[in-house]
């Protein structure tokens, strides 16, 4: 039950906005509080659908005055649900969908509420693209601020390596534009430092000519996991920049346990076909869907990870795929507790690794393989959640001796401050200095939080 004071404050907030305020009890609240991961079940105090950057500024000002913790939601795809908190105010950006592309310069100016699918679709109209993630519903905002790995990373690096500028609303209500010449330090921090420095309302990206690519997936029986993983290791070690390949171990929608190599080759088709040929002759593929296609088709609608299913993930950084790792992954995949669960390995290479670890806030440039161990189950199976999560933890624990320190922050869960520090790695102290300047009160802390060392810290635990 709201007090009269609270009701009046909310009415006054609504009057200052072009967007909409949703409160508990309102029609639409149940839907509005939900995020992609159905396991996240939180009850924000307010959800503000901002219609423009002014709404963002007004909402931050309101939250600070009434003392509400703030969360920021782009596409709602944070695995641990950083974009919603019990009793918090959600700044929802999903109505900020503006997009302008100059086909002459290849520069895209886009608002922060776009999903990857919307962004890639608009750019592909001009035969342009840059690196994004691979699942359409993922938010462009969260993905970009954390780094962004995807099919084009060998050629063009991380998403942030094609980022030219960011428009930001800061904790103290300033609207800034950061790029290589204006606020260059902030621009450095926004390329990998996540949502720590403010709310990004728009980005500018340099796009690249990308039209048709050779892409798709080849699946083998899961019983051949060891052989396929060894093959994948050699295949990726020899891969040129144009070829990015992932491997995942899961079950098809028809109930067949498989190991699948998915790939995208963005270069001359004849060369690509030659590179892919060994995949076709190796083992006994159950399915071969690799063929030339528009790049847009490589962005999957949900990659088998639908909205509302329950998810739990641990991610790891691997320096190599040695035989011990391969054995552990193969055995654990055969022993999954849910047929939806999967192990995914992404090869990070090419242009990503040619940028220095200190050139942007994204420190983990040297990590060649990123592994996601993901338990997935549906709501009906909620009683079994602990068993599914234990499967993830068991494999993670077994693999720990083989891992590098730190994890790509967009795949990091809520493992605590030590792991956050390790993941910002060599850049952590510089990020703290930036946080002290732009958010000394730690208004923006529902993220992989860089904790300021001066100012009154407003961090408030949200259950
Ligand atoms: C199915 C799935 C597939 C994925 N695939 C990939 C992939 O291929 N490559 C990859 O690199 N990552 C991938 N990710 C990880 C993804 O990049 C992160 O989960 C990212 O945070 C999602 O962004 P979002 O806007 O949807 O997140 P949200 O949950 O909306 O936000 C998460 C956090 O990001 C910050 N944030 C988001 N938008 C803004 C903004 N405009 N301003 C300030 N802070 C903001 C906030 O701190 C917020 O708490 C995937 C995740 C999922 C669930």
């Amino acid at each position: 039950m709201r007090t009269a004071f609270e009701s009046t404050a909310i009415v006054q907030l609504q009057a200052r906005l072009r967007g909409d305020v949703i409160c508990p009890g309102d029609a639409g609240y149940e839907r509005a509080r939900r995020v992609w991961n159905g396991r996240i079940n939180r009850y924000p105090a307010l959800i503000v659908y901002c219609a423009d950057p002014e709404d963002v500024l007004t909402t931050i000002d309101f939250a600070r005055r009434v003392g509400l913790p703030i969360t920021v939601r782009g596409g709602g795809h944070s695995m641990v649900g950083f974009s919603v908190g019990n009793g918090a105010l959600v700044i929802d950006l999903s109505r900020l969908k503006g997009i302008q592309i100059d086909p002459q310069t290849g520069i895209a100016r886009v608002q922060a509420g776009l999903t990857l699918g919307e962004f890639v679709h608009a750019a592909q109209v001009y035969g342009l693209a840059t690196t994004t993630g691979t699942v359409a519903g993922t938010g462009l905002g969260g993905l970009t601020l954390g780094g962004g790995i995807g099919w084009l990373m060998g050629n063009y690096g991380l998403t942030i390596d094609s980022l030219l500028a960011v428009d930001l609303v800061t904790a103290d209500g300033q609207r800034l534009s950061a790029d290589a010449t204006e606020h260059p330090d902030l621009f450095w921090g926004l390329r990998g430092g996540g949502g720590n420095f403010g709310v990004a309302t728009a980005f500018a990206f340099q796009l690249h000519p990308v039209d048709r690519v050779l892409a798709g997936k080849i699946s083998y029986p899961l019983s051949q996991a060891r052989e396929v993983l060894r093959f994948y290791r050699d295949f990726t070690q020899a891969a040129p920049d144009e070829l990015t390949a992932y491997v995942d171990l899961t079950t098809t929608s028809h109930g067949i346990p498989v190991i699948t190599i998915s790939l995208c080759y963005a270069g001359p088709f004849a060369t690509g076909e030659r590179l892919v040929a060994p995949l076709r002759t190796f083992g006994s593929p159950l399915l071969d869907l690799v063929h030339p296609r528009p790049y847009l088709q490589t962005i999957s609608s949900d990659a088998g990870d639908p909205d509302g299913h329950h998810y739990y993930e641990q991610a790891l950084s691997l320096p190599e795929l040695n035989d011990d790792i391969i054995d552990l992954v193969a055995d654990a995949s055969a022993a999954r507790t849910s047929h939806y669960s999967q192990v995914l390995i992404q090869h990070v290479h090419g242009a990503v690794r040619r940028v220095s670890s200190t050139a942007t806030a994204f420190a983990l440039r040297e990590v060649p393989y990123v592994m996601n161990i993901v338990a997935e189950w549906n709501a009906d199976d909620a009683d079994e959640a602990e068993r599914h999560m234990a499967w993830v933890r068991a494999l993670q624990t077994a693999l720990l001796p083989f891992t590098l320190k730190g994890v790509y922050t967009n795949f990091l869960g809520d493992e605590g401050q030590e792991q956050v520090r390790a993941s910002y790695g060599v850049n952590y102290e510089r990020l703290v200095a930036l946080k002290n300047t732009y958010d000394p009160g730690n208004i923006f802390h529902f993220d992989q939080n860089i904790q300021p060392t001066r100012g009154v810290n407003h961090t408030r635990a949200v259950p």
Side-chain angles (χ1 to χ4, degrees):
M1 191 67 182
R2 253 173 270 157
T3 65
F5 171 76
E6 283 165 346
S7 300
T8 308
I10 292 166
V11 169
Q12 285 172 353
L13 170 65
Q14 178 65 77
R16 292 169 63 201
L17 297 171
R18 277 187 55 224
D20 294 305
V21 182
I22 306 277
C23 306
D26 287 352
Y29 177 79
E30 269 309 302
R31 193 158 170 272
R33 75 182 182 85
R34 287 292 181 175
V35 288
W36 166 81
N37 185 351
R39 189 170 67 83
I40 308 299
N41 184 23
R42 301 197 183 126
Y43 291 85
L46 290 180
I47 298 158
V48 180
Y49 285 95
C50 294
D52 52 32
E54 286 75 19
D55 277 2
V56 173
L57 202 152
T58 302
T59 307
I60 293 174
D61 174 60
F62 171 84
R64 293 196 65 158
R65 281 192 292 108
V66 301
L68 278 177
I70 291 172
T71 66
V72 180
R73 182 162 66 189
H77 270 52
S78 154
M79 184 61 87
V80 289
F82 276 137
S83 66
V84 284
N86 287 328
L89 182 153
V90 179
I91 295 183
D92 184 288
L93 302 171
S94 62
R95 293 189 187 169
L96 298 182
K97 297 282 194 203
I99 180 156
Q100 280 180 323
I101 295 175
D102 180 342
Q104 301 303 321
T105 60
I107 292 177
R109 295 181 194 285
V110 305
Q111 285 193 305
L114 289 171
T115 62
L116 304 188
E118 291 161 344
F119 175 54
V120 177
H121 184 266
Q124 280 285 276
V125 170
Y126 303 100
L128 297 169
T130 190
T131 310
T132 64
T134 55
V135 176
T138 314
L140 184 63
L143 175 120
T144 300
L145 294 167
I149 62 172
W151 293 130
L152 300 176
M153 68 179 132
N155 279 342
Y156 307 117
L158 301 169
T159 306
I160 49 170
D161 295 331
S162 294
L163 185 62
L164 300 175
V166 182
D167 289 349
L168 194 75
V169 182
T170 59
D172 62 357
Q174 290 185 65
R175 285 184 62 186
L176 299 178
S177 191
D179 60 23
T181 52
E182 256 185 287
H183 307 289
D185 236 35
L186 178 60
F187 185 51
W188 173 89
L190 290 167
R191 286 175 290 164
N196 274 286
F197 306 111
V199 181
T201 55
F203 302 100
F205 292 101
Q206 180 64 60
L207 304 179
H208 314 276
V210 180
D211 196 355
R212 288 175 72 77
V213 293
L214 181 66
K217 58 184 181 179
I218 300 193
S219 298
Y220 309 83
L222 189 66
S223 56
Q224 293 174 14
R226 279 178 176 71
E227 296 82 352
V228 175
L229 284 168
R230 286 194 195 104
F231 176 87
Y232 173 78
R233 171 177 64 198
D234 299 341
F235 186 71
T236 47
Q237 276 170 10
D241 290 359
E242 293 83 357
L243 177 62
T244 296
Y246 299 166
V247 65
D248 74 290
L249 302 91
T250 187
T251 304
T252 66
S253 54
H254 298 103
I256 304 166
V258 289
I259 174 164
T260 298
I261 295 180
S262 305
L263 62 90
C264 174
Y265 177 83
F269 285 155
T271 314
E273 290 288 1
R274 223 173 24 251
L275 285 164
V276 168
L279 276 171
R280 299 196 155 115
T281 50
F282 171 80
S284 328
L286 294 171
L287 185 76
D288 177 355
L289 297 177
V290 176
H291 57 76
R293 57 176 85 222
Y295 174 70
L296 180 61
Q297 281 185 12
T298 68
I299 304 302
S300 153
S301 57
D302 69 7
D305 301 328
D307 266 41
H309 267 196
H310 291 207
Y311 299 89
Y312 174 80
E313 174 190 59
Q314 290 292 332
L316 302 169
S317 300
L318 298 172
E320 58 175 350
L321 292 179
N322 64 33
D323 287 348
D324 291 331
I325 295 173
I326 287 175
D327 284 345
L328 287 166
V329 169
D331 289 344
S333 297
R336 284 168 300 136
T337 56
S338 161
H339 69 271
Y340 294 115
S341 296
Q342 62 164 311
V343 179
L344 169 68
I345 303 173
Q346 301 178 63
H347 179 223
V348 180
H349 70 123
V352 176
R353 303 185 68 191
R354 289 193 288 274
V355 176
S356 130
S357 292
T358 54
T360 65
F362 186 97
L364 305 181
R365 299 263 180 183
E366 301 290 318
V367 176
Y369 296 102
V370 174
M371 180 185 291
N372 304 67
I373 312 167
V374 188
E376 174 180 344
W377 62 98
N378 61 35
D380 300 341
D381 202 16
D383 291 348
E384 295 294 314
E386 195 41 54
R387 200 162 63 91
H388 302 317
M389 296 194 287
W391 170 79
V392 173
R393 289 190 208 105
L395 179 56
Q396 180 204 24
T397 304
L399 287 169
L400 276 179
F402 305 103
T403 58
L404 296 167
K405 272 193 171 170
V407 168
Y408 169 30
T409 53
N410 273 350
F411 293 155
L412 197 58
D414 39 15
E415 281 89 290
Q417 206 53 33
E418 200 182 319
Q419 184 66 317
V420 171
R421 236 188 141 97
S423 302
Y424 290 118
V426 63
N427 295 322
Y428 189 73
E429 295 307 328
R430 186 170 169 192
L431 285 165
V432 171
L434 213 53
K435 185 78 172 174
N436 284 340
T437 304
Y438 288 98
D439 185 19
N442 212 6
I443 296 296
F444 301 110
H445 60 270
F446 289 99
D447 50 19
Q448 300 306 347
N449 190 223
I450 296 156
Q451 299 201 334
T453 51
R454 76 175 172 80
V456 182
N457 197 324
H458 291 281
T459 309
R460 211 195 286 174
V462 168

